[in-house]
Amino acid sequence: MNWLTDLPQEPINKLLNPIGDVLGQGISGILLWVFQEPIKFKIIKENEFQALANELAQKLQSIPTENRDTSKRGLLIKAIKESQYSISESDLRTMFASIVASIADDRKNYALSPRYITVLSQLGAEDAKLLILLNEQKSHQLPIACLRISENKTGAFQDVSEYYYYTDKKKIDILSSTTVNILVSLGIIDFSSEKYLADSSYQAAYTTLNTYLNLYKSTHERPSEVDHSYVSNKGKIELTSFGEQLFEYIF
């Protein structure tokens, strides 16, 4: 058991005390088992492991004693094992701590399957940032728009800018198409360039995006022999039902 000396004991002790019950001991045991070799051979930094264990201890302590559940041991092992591959990214580390706590909470874990852990393990840092942004928005939705050029005679069109989003905090920023493609492929979000958020509360957001794209047009407009118009094409991003459930586990 010499490898034990290679593991920082403070975060382990935080899991065992004050959570000195079967749940705390079980999760501490899984952490020791999963991280002993990576830490011993300096593959994982001790401060990253300590951050994960500390966050996990804090989240487990918030679960009422009567709701602590040790029945999902297989899911606990899977989640903690997968967390080691994302431990260097603080946002993903926090999400893994949250999903482990959800597995240990009988108010949440009744519908939790391995798919949620697998999907979380496939996210990168930028993907996590967009999920955090969506979590901050009302109804987990984002109004988006891009600049589109349309031929007046034929109706043929082409998008000539990236999509931009507008947040509840009145911020405009460019939307990463790579991140969107990843989150769509994982079944977390829906992206639509042909439908938009019809609720009147989003009207001001689309108006602001239109104004922004008109400024973009003034610096990017191209001469053309074809009669054409520039329009602001409205779209939306929103969570799928799977994405909504995932948010229950990671936030």
Side-chain angles (χ1 to χ4, degrees):
M1 299 287 285
N2 291 335
W3 53 265
L4 268 173
T5 60
D6 294 316
L7 286 169
Q9 293 302 302
E10 181 184 355
I12 297 298
N13 291 335
K14 283 189 175 182
L15 281 167
L16 289 171
N17 183 23
I19 311 180
D21 56 11
V22 174
L23 177 61
Q25 293 169 3
I27 292 180
S28 294
I30 297 171
L31 283 170
L32 291 172
W33 173 58
V34 169
F35 286 97
Q36 56 178 297
E37 294 298 324
I39 290 180
K40 177 181 179 180
F41 291 104
K42 311 301 181 184
I43 298 170
I44 287 175
K45 296 178 181 178
E46 288 189 9
N47 66 317
E48 293 170 349
F49 170 78
Q50 182 161 352
L52 173 66
N54 287 345
E55 286 190 70
L56 183 51
Q58 185 178 13
K59 292 178 185 298
L60 291 174
Q61 289 170 30
S62 69
I63 304 173
T65 303
E66 64 272 17
N67 296 115
R68 294 175 187 170
D69 184 7
T70 60
S71 67
K72 308 287 186 179
R73 290 182 294 275
L75 289 179
L76 287 172
I77 292 171
K78 178 176 175 62
I80 292 173
K81 285 184 70 175
E82 294 290 355
S83 72
Q84 65 184 307
Y85 307 113
S86 302
I87 198 169
S88 62
E89 302 293 343
S90 60
D91 291 334
L92 288 169
R93 192 167 60 230
T94 298
M95 290 178 183
F96 268 106
S98 295
I99 204 168
V100 171
S102 295
I103 295 168
D105 189 337
D106 66 10
R107 297 169 299 179
K108 292 185 174 183
N109 66 13
Y110 54 89
L112 208 160
S113 74
R115 181 189 176 195
Y116 296 95
I117 302 167
T118 299
V119 164
L120 183 57
S121 72
Q122 295 176 355
L123 299 180
E126 293 306 309
D127 310 327
K129 290 185 187 304
L130 183 54
L131 293 186
I132 292 169
L133 178 66
L134 277 170
N135 189 52
E136 295 170 346
Q137 310 308 304
K138 61 184 178 183
S139 304
H140 299 150
Q141 296 173 318
L142 273 176
I144 61 174
C146 76
L147 191 64
R148 177 172 286 183
I149 186 171
S150 176
E151 293 184 11
N152 294 332
K153 185 175 182 179
T154 66
F157 62 86
Q158 178 184 4
D159 293 341
V160 292
S161 78
E162 300 289 342
Y163 271 88
Y164 291 82
Y165 62 78
Y166 186 82
T167 72
D168 289 348
K169 295 181 178 180
K170 299 182 179 181
K171 176 185 177 182
I172 295 177
D173 207 342
I174 195 167
L175 187 64
S176 166
S177 58
T178 300
T179 293
V180 168
N181 289 337
I182 290 171
L183 296 181
V184 168
S185 70
L186 292 173
I188 301 174
I189 66 170
D190 280 328
F191 168 88
S192 177
S193 59
E194 304 304 324
K195 296 180 181 180
Y196 60 91
L197 300 170
D199 190 277
S200 59
S201 63
Y202 289 104
Q203 182 58 47
Y206 284 119
T207 299
T208 302
L209 283 168
N210 182 61
T211 301
Y212 182 86
L213 288 169
N214 279 334
L215 293 174
Y216 179 98
K217 180 186 71 172
S218 67
T219 58
H220 291 77
E221 190 166 7
R222 299 172 298 185
S224 172
E225 296 179 358
V226 178
D227 183 25
H228 66 275
S229 301
Y230 283 91
V231 296
S232 173
N233 187 61
K234 299 185 290 187
K236 63 178 180 177
I237 285 179
E238 55 191 354
L239 290 182
T240 63
S241 57
F242 171 77
E244 289 285 0
Q245 190 62 64
L246 178 67
F247 272 33
E248 289 294 318
Y249 300 140
I250 65 175
F251 291 118

